[in-house]
């Protein structure tokens, strides 16, 4: 039994962490923080939690929180996270940071896409929290940088192809679509119901901050620097990311051969499901769960493979992966508290 | 550990039963049937279930199923249910029937709203499966008639007021709104995405078949025959029923007094949550769970109480309540397998 | 050809006014104002308008605007409207005010539900802009108080029954559901996509500010003071209000008799459509148009009539009715610029 | 004034044709057909049309229809269309065919992707009805093959780049997303509200029948055979297609240079809007209209151009383009009856 704190509990990632943690048999939630709702029971911020969590939102007081918790989940925006993570570590806590602040290994790349980094000395220590690729390093870490939602869908999708050298990395085109929780719970006009509903658009073309994170993962997988074209879109749904990924095959492979290769690659993974050849992923099939569903087609006409990767952006793309990382950090069974059956429809 | 069969597994109620049952620690699912998908793995009918249930859809063969199961969930349309329920009982199985066939005590009322009843002799034996009202009878039953979704939301909403004699039953107006899973998974033009999305309508005004079921429950609660005006509407959401119920108070009571009364009435119920005075239910807060959330306002200007009741129509309105009834039938803890935290958003 | 200004053009009512006015053959839009977007082309605020309106958002400068316009549409929040309407009138303009500030005839009632009224002397002059009831007064007005969205749906729905004395006004229960544009374009957390989507709730029970406006209209129709129970709900759709209205019939009347009465009552109205007896309104059938669709059922079991009224809250509930009022003010054909066919689906 | 018939009026393309035609000043609709609803007023099939069209659905009787109409819109599925189009032509009518049957010039390609062609002799005569590319040929045609929805969005998006030789055609990747009206009004399980809502998926990867149509248009534009990777997806919205198109630039060009080129190329087109450099298309901005909105970004990092094209699949992707073609066929102003302002939101 460990004690955990959720720092920044009033966003969508925060409530999702609480949803998963209140049912985790090895976890006691000792503290939730929210600047906006300080003093309010979290079950009034999120009435869905009534009966499950009776904590009151605290201010972000690092010493007070550290004294009550073994592990801190920081669910803060980038920049706000690195303002407190070093202090939590110094106080002896472990940290799973859900922001972007410790994901990029290269300080210069971080500073080019975000802003000045105030604790660059932690970048080499931080472990990128994608268990399917870095399981052992995570288990031994003090600071886990929980991956971004888009990068998770892409890295899991491409790992088999890239690590086996089957595609030309220069040909990679990644067309991703995310549900609206990805935009956060802040009150912005662009996130209003009537602006999103019955609409669909691309955004951040050639400039989205997840691009360098995607490239870092794919470069690691392919063993050489990879540059990608990455285009995110906003879907009128609450949850889910579907990434459609295009690459030129270096050797002719049929759909069946590639699916077999994927099944083998992910045979022991509890959270990756490779779809049969006649099926394709749908974000509806992973709703509320930590699964990444993968499907693909090899197009003989054009020599390209078209790969589809679906996750719930709040679970495998954020809170669920964070809990999976916590399980690794503390030696719990990796799926503990994550055995949720998808809610369909 | 008991063995259960889900008869009629390929509808929305079927997949919801499977979602709940695959995680139930005292249940083994021994059989699923589907005429439409006979021979197909249920995880291909519902890819959300991949990794959780590898059964293949069987035909509806009563002897074969009875031989493998202690308890049968019949998730069939009315009329189809009564064609097999007596045989399952005769074969020694217990049955939780999710159709309307055994809900009404009065054969004539059934035949007036539905069609001829082919096993009226079972009507007196069948127990109406609303645990909050009939817990003890359910525990001793052989055949449980699982309540309808609208009637569940209404009976739980009105039980305190009616049983205490606080409202005039003749004044009752029930305005209910249901998500589209309520219309089933059959391919009908009126259920198409583009017919439901961005639309909203009433249907079945003064003629919906849940009317006599509602009246039966409310009559039992008030101790005298009750006639209601009941209007269902189709909401462009997947899951959820919200019933807004209007009644004239016989004595002046403030909102706070009534909320206190509700909190006391439902103090020991694991699945009824009474909202604080400044909050109102939202179907989003109960998504995927067996909760019924209740809120109310006493309107001093008009002397009416306005009561709001929210459930997930597939859970407390169908599959979840069926599992709750199963728990009662077999002496399991009543919430076993139902401790799901709502998925918000 | 008249010159009009739209004051407060950057909300949903503003863009809807512009949608209707750019195609109106007797109107030139001379000015649009927006504090938030001052200096920005309105076609960048609303890219949907690209190619239709190249005006730049002005500040709210009454003398400058008055000099360029015959008629002012004030699409401002209540309180902000009454801060400028008297000045526009003094400058010789006519005004169609879309706020609540001049709808209530009784200053005390206004101040009880809103706040202090700063130009109560205009309340008796202002004409309530519901053309189906007050066509002649509107034609002669200087200041038209454009009705609220909910009150429009209710008054048109009940006019035949109340004016003929067929129902008991004390029995009236009004259960209304509105699309999310009704909450405006302000950036509020409660209006975010993920808070509204897949949700449904009541709000403002027994306290919504449209209640006195509804009661004022219904009292006028019935010839005696009417008090109603009115409950609004938030629908996860962009546009549309559906009001389901319950009342006890004073004389037994069949559905067919009542529908005939409605058809006769509204025979000459261009914007009221009474549905045949076997059909019910759906907000999807009036999308983008100035129609009010009405349907009803007489419930012989309970002696109540159940009436359903559907409008597009942004058109007949706001901008379309404002244009209809403009047509009356200037002697244009009442449907000029409003002959839009509903967008289905 | 011409007389037109809509053959196959009860689908989504049919009702959209009627929406546009009832308001067209040079058109009288003389006949609507529907096998499914024969004998029923079209305003009962689509209550949105009440008050606009009082025709009763006829059977598909070619001689009877030909005798009443100058122009036939065939809104039938492929194969059904070619069963009647030759007869309408033989009877002296002009035809705008909205099916796929006459779009492909090469009989073998048609037969490879669809089925045997029963009137291949008309393939060379039929004019592909994309006015922006083939305006003059359309004006002189007897049979217009109205383009598919996806191909329209792609051909308009790529015409400037391909005709100027600025991109490598072999690099083309087309990722398209369509609203659910694209799946038609047939009652299929996959089109049910609960199957589409809160979901998102790709379908028909490397095998969608619009692929050869896209390739035919792009080959004509580039002057050499083009093969593309085309992936359609199903969006949970009613209307709209957004195509995100990727290609490698043969010469370095900035976003601004390319946008200027697009503005010049489409300067005289009434229905193509090129967005400013800081904006991107959204299907919400073209809802209900015949516009194609285009936006693009030149990605200096990867040397690719990312182009976004948005249309309403039922208007520019079907019925609106058909009316535009009718206007060309009869010498009416090309935008007559199509000057609709987008419905936002």
């Amino acid at each position: 039994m460990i004690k955990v704190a959720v720092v920044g509990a009033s966003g969508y990632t925060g409530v999702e962490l609480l949803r998963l943690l209140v049912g985790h048999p090895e976890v006691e939630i000792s503290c939730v923080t929210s600047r906006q709702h300080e003093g309010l029971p979290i079950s009034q911020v999120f009435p869905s939690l009534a009966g499950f969590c009776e904590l009151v939102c605290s201010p972000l007081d690092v010493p007070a929180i550290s004294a009550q918790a073994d592990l801190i989940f920081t669910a803060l925006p980038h920049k706000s996270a690195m303002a407190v993570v070093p202090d939590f570590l110094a106080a002896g806590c472990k940290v799973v940071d859900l922001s972007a602040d410790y994901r990029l290994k290269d300080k210069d790349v971080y500073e080019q896409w975000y802003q000045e980094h105030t604790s660059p000395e932690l970048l080499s220590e931080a472990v990128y929290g994608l268990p399917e690729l870095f399981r052992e390093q995570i288990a031994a870490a003090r600071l886990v940088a929980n991956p971004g939602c888009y990068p998770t869908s892409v890295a899991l999708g491409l790992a088999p192809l890239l690590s086996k050298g089957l595609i030309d990395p220069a040909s990679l085109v990644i067309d991703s679509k995310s549900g609206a929780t990805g935009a956060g719970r802040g009150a912005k006009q662009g996130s209003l119901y009537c602006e999103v509903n019955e609409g669909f658009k691309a955004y951040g073309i050639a400039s989205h901050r997840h691009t360098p994170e995607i490239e870092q993962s794919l470069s690691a997988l392919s063993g050489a620097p990879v540059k990608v074209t990455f285009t995110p879109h906003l879907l009128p749904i609450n949850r889910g990311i579907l990434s459609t990924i295009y690459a030129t095959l270096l050797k002719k492979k049929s759909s069946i051969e590639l699916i077999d290769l994927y099944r083998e690659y992910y045979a022991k993974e509890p959270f990756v499901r490779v779809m049969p050849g006649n099926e394709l992923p749908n974000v509806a099939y992973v709703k509320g769960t930590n699964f990444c569903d993968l499907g693909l087609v090899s197009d003989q006409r054009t020599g390209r493979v078209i790969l589809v990767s679906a996750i719930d952006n709040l679970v495998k793309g954020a809170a669920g992966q964070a809990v999976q990382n916590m399980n690794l950090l503390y030696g719990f069974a990796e799926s503990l508290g994550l055995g949720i059956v998808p809610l369909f429809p």
Side-chain angles (χ1 to χ4, degrees), chain A residues 157-158 161 243-246 262 294-297 305-309:
Chain A
L158 286 171
L161 286 172
S243 291
T244 312
I245 307 175
Y246 302 87
Y262 270 67
L294 300 175
L296 61 79
V297 174
V305 58
I306 299 99
L307 180 84
V308 182
S309 171

Side-chain angles (χ1 to χ4, degrees), chain A residues 2 17 34 42 78 83 131 148 152 208 211 218 230 292 307 314:
Chain A
I2 60 167
L17 277 166
S34 164
I42 193 71
H78 63 84
T152 294
H208 192 278
T211 308
L218 302 192
F230 166 60
C292 176
L307 180 84
L314 289 181

